[in-house]
Amino acid sequence: MEKSRLSTSYGNNNPWTRRLAPDHPLPFLQPALFRENGSMYHKEKSIQIKNSASALYNNLGVLRIAPRRLTYFTVVHANVVNMVSASWDGLNYSHRQLQSKEPNVATSTSLIMQAAFCALPSRDLLVVTSQKGIQIYESDGSIMVYWHALDTPETPTAQAVFARGISAVHENYICVGISSGAILVFDVPSKGSNITLSEVLEEHKESITDMAAECSGSQECIADLVSADDGGNLCVWKSGEEFQLLNNIPGFDMSCSSVKLWKGTVVAGYGTGQIRLYEAVTGILHAEVNAHARWIYSLDIAPFSGLLLSAAEDSLVRVWHLSMTPETNSVEVAHLHNECVTDTQICGAKFCDGDGYAFAVTGYDLSEIIRYTQT
């Protein structure tokens, strides 16, 4: 394991990143060469899908159904969500396609922006966002339980209207971002379709790109939701009957395409190919990693192991390890593994379990889901 114990001495620094002392200037570090013998994961048989993946941020949804030994996958293509149910033994697959829906319209040409599974304590749901609205389905895609239409202007405007950025929060909330920068908070009952819009958060001024809830399972974390926008700005929230804004971390005019929250640390991926780690409540920058040569399209965290997955336009998927340092209350980053998906603009990457034993990848114009498991 390439552990980077991140000192502030320039002579001995790991070339990927370093932990920052409170009074130390922010360094800009250059990527290093990887080990040629790295073999933490190996490639499994791919899952074929009906359509290729659209070039959208975070274009892969994964839900593990342990009692049935199944994993659900979703990939967006234009106005269709391709859904695959795969048995763990790799012998059985079933396919379903969900269309973008509009009220009182037989067929819709509305482009879908994202499909994501939301795992609440009482139920699992599939949320699909488009240019017209927000659809919430049962997790297997069989029944649509809720539809929320977006307010569209009567006359065309320069700014497109869409919803993007989906996260389950706490016990009973699903948050969805929209192009105006607002965040819609839905209160979800433990069963049934009586879902209500309980609050609209209007802190962001640019289109929401992604959102994530605290995924470590820790009850001690004050912050339990982070949202990102096209300007790279991050908002940190505390959920409740009324959501509370805890912190606003300014961007630097580069879109933050994917964001995660783990043990009180915000992990954000940017169009620069960088990953930045902030302390959620204070906004202190713990580390900056020059992780990719091109735009990052997806991040994911395995909460039980602290493994971080990053995927980008440069055809690379990288696995990192995050660890907390109690003495300094900071985060350390170690690079573990590297996979190149040749000639592919990667647009989705997700762990298939909470330990990071396996992960899956999608790419633009690729009609398959590529899977990797630990050796």
Side-chain angles (χ1 to χ4, degrees):
M1 184 175 82
E2 297 177 25
K3 180 78 172 181
S4 54
R5 186 163 294 279
L6 315 175
S7 70
T8 56
S9 166
Y10 278 94
N12 299 316
N13 282 333
N14 177 286
W16 276 96
T17 181
R18 62 168 68 98
R19 186 173 65 229
L20 302 175
D23 58 348
H24 196 278
L26 175 66
F28 189 87
L29 303 168
Q30 299 301 320
L33 296 175
F34 285 92
R35 296 176 302 173
E36 294 182 358
N37 61 346
S39 58
M40 183 178 177
Y41 290 85
H42 68 274
K43 189 176 179 181
E44 296 280 2
K45 182 181 177 182
S46 295
I47 300 173
Q48 300 302 309
I49 53 179
K50 300 290 186 182
N51 302 104
S52 60
S54 293
L56 300 168
Y57 302 150
N58 309 299
N59 190 4
L60 178 64
V62 177
L63 180 66
R64 180 182 170 94
I65 311 293
R68 299 173 59 193
R69 300 183 67 81
L70 292 174
T71 302
Y72 294 156
F73 298 91
T74 58
V75 180
V76 173
H77 170 83
N79 63 334
V80 173
V81 177
N82 295 285
M83 188 170 182
V84 182
S85 172
S87 62
W88 290 2
D89 58 15
L91 299 178
N92 298 305
Y93 300 95
S94 63
H95 297 263
R96 182 191 297 271
Q97 288 190 315
L98 306 177
Q99 296 281 341
S100 174
K101 287 186 170 57
E102 298 176 40
N104 307 318
V105 177
T107 59
S108 172
T109 57
S110 173
L111 292 177
I112 294 174
M113 303 301 294
Q114 191 179 2
F117 291 104
C118 289
L120 294 166
S122 59
R123 66 195 299 190
D124 297 329
L125 294 167
L126 171 63
V127 180
V128 178
T129 62
S130 71
Q131 294 173 311
K132 296 294 183 181
I134 299 159
Q135 302 160 229
I136 302 180
Y137 292 85
E138 296 292 356
S139 59
D140 62 359
S142 60
I143 301 170
M144 186 169 72
V145 296
Y146 184 75
W147 159 263
H148 177 85
L150 295 179
D151 293 328
T152 54
E154 294 182 4
T155 56
T157 61
Q159 184 179 11
V161 176
F162 58 85
R164 178 180 62 191
I166 304 164
S167 182
V169 187
H170 199 51
E171 294 185 354
N172 60 307
Y173 297 109
I174 289 178
C175 294
V176 180
I178 57 178
S179 51
S180 67
I183 298 170
L184 308 182
V185 181
F186 296 98
D187 194 337
V188 181
S190 58
K191 59 182 179 180
S193 58
N194 190 27
I195 297 170
T196 57
L197 177 62
S198 61
E199 193 174 357
V200 179
L201 310 176
E202 296 184 310
E203 185 67 25
H204 288 276
K205 305 307 179 197
E206 300 189 50
S207 299
I208 303 297
T209 49
D210 194 26
M211 277 190 291
E214 172 62 51
C215 67
S216 68
S218 171
Q219 299 299 313
E220 299 174 4
C221 294
I222 299 170
D224 56 7
L225 177 69
V226 61
S227 52
D229 68 26
D230 262 332
N233 304 291
L234 305 172
C235 288
V236 180
W237 308 86
K238 173 66 175 174
S239 68
E241 289 189 12
E242 290 187 1
F243 278 55
Q244 178 186 355
L245 179 67
L246 299 179
N247 195 12
N248 193 327
I249 302 171
F252 47 99
D253 295 326
M254 176 53 74
S255 181
C256 175
S257 49
S258 194
V259 69
K260 293 295 170 187
L261 186 58
W262 180 76
K263 292 190 175 181
T265 298
V266 174
V267 184
Y270 296 88
T272 56
Q274 293 175 314
I275 299 172
R276 287 187 164 198
L277 279 68
Y278 295 94
E279 186 177 332
V281 176
T282 65
I284 293 171
L285 179 62
H286 283 311
E288 183 179 71
V289 186
N290 291 332
H292 291 272
R294 297 189 68 181
W295 204 291
I296 292 175
Y297 261 59
S298 188
L299 297 176
D300 197 27
I301 289 180
F304 303 139
S305 61
L307 293 180
L308 168 67
L309 191 66
S310 64
E313 283 184 330
D314 60 5
S315 302
L316 293 174
V317 185
R318 289 178 168 150
V319 181
W320 314 80
H321 182 248
L322 305 179
S323 57
M324 302 298 295
T325 307
E327 299 82 13
T328 57
N329 194 33
S330 61
V331 182
E332 292 188 353
V333 186
H335 175 255
L336 300 183
H337 186 76
N338 196 46
E339 286 286 349
C340 180
V341 187
T342 308
D343 298 328
T344 301
Q345 177 185 326
I346 299 170
C347 52
K350 283 277 189 183
F351 285 116
C352 300
D353 57 277
D355 294 311
Y357 174 75
F359 66 87
V361 175
T362 57
Y364 172 57
D365 215 21
L366 203 64
S367 298
E368 60 180 326
I369 299 170
I370 305 170
R371 293 184 296 172
Y372 299 87
T373 57
Q374 287 189 19
T375 52

